């Protein structure tokens, strides 16, 4: 069983990519006030899990950091000083639930 904040709760990868698209889109146009702006520090440039822990107190949300930073590889270097926008856990939970319901409509 997946953690409730795991994108793998959205079984269809084509539907899951819509969640990722929303997070990527927020990097240019903030989607709400419950998003956190985070400046990449030199110490966490190679550690999306450290950023996730600093923001969420959960290293398992490194996937959110990777999507926001457009990383394909978790060991790809982030540019120190660059900024990313990260959604709240409430937003993540709500959007995962939304896409899970969307999956069930098509069945």
């Amino acid at each position: 069983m997946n953690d409730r904040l795991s994108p793998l709760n959205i079984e269809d990868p084509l539907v899951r990519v819509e969640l990722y698209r929303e997070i990527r889109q927020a990097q240019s146009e903030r989607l709400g006030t419950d998003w956190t702006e985070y400046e990449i520090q030199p110490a966490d440039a190679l550690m999306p899990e450290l950023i996730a822990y600093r923001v969420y107190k959960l290293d398992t949300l490194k996937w959110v950091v990777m999507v926001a930073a457009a990383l394909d590889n978790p060991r790809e270097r982030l540019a120190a000083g660059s900024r990313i926008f990260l959604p709240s856990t409430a937003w993540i939970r709500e959007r995962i639930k939304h896409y899970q319901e969307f999956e069930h409509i098509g069945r």
Side-chain angles (χ1 to χ4, degrees):
M1 174 150 175
N2 294 316
D3 176 286
R4 67 184 178 149
L5 295 176
S6 170
L8 299 178
N9 288 313
I10 304 167
E11 294 175 12
D12 185 332
L14 296 176
V15 175
R16 191 180 316 133
V17 80
E18 288 301 313
L19 171 64
Y20 299 161
R21 183 192 55 75
E22 282 191 77
I23 294 170
R24 287 294 306 138
Q25 183 179 0
Q27 303 313 300
S28 60
E29 53 185 69
R30 303 243 344 237
L31 295 178
T33 58
D34 58 345
W35 287 62
T36 300
E37 182 175 8
Y38 183 84
E39 182 176 341
I40 307 299
Q41 303 302 309
D44 49 38
L46 287 170
M47 300 179 68
E49 63 274 13
L50 180 58
I51 298 168
Y53 186 78
R54 288 181 177 173
V55 173
Y56 300 112
K57 305 298 184 232
L58 294 166
D59 63 348
T60 56
L61 289 178
K62 76 178 182 181
W63 69 268
V64 178
V65 175
M66 291 180 62
V67 170
L71 294 180
D72 292 324
N73 180 338
R75 295 296 162 238
E76 190 175 331
R77 180 175 292 278
L78 293 160
S82 63
R83 296 177 184 277
I84 56 176
F85 296 96
L86 300 170
S88 68
T89 54
W91 185 92
I92 297 167
R93 188 171 37 254
E94 186 278 322
R95 297 314 290 161
I96 288 173
K97 183 178 176 183
H98 166 79
Y99 286 114
Q100 285 176 313
E101 291 170 0
F102 179 78
E103 283 182 313
H104 294 325
I105 291 172
R107 292 183 185 168

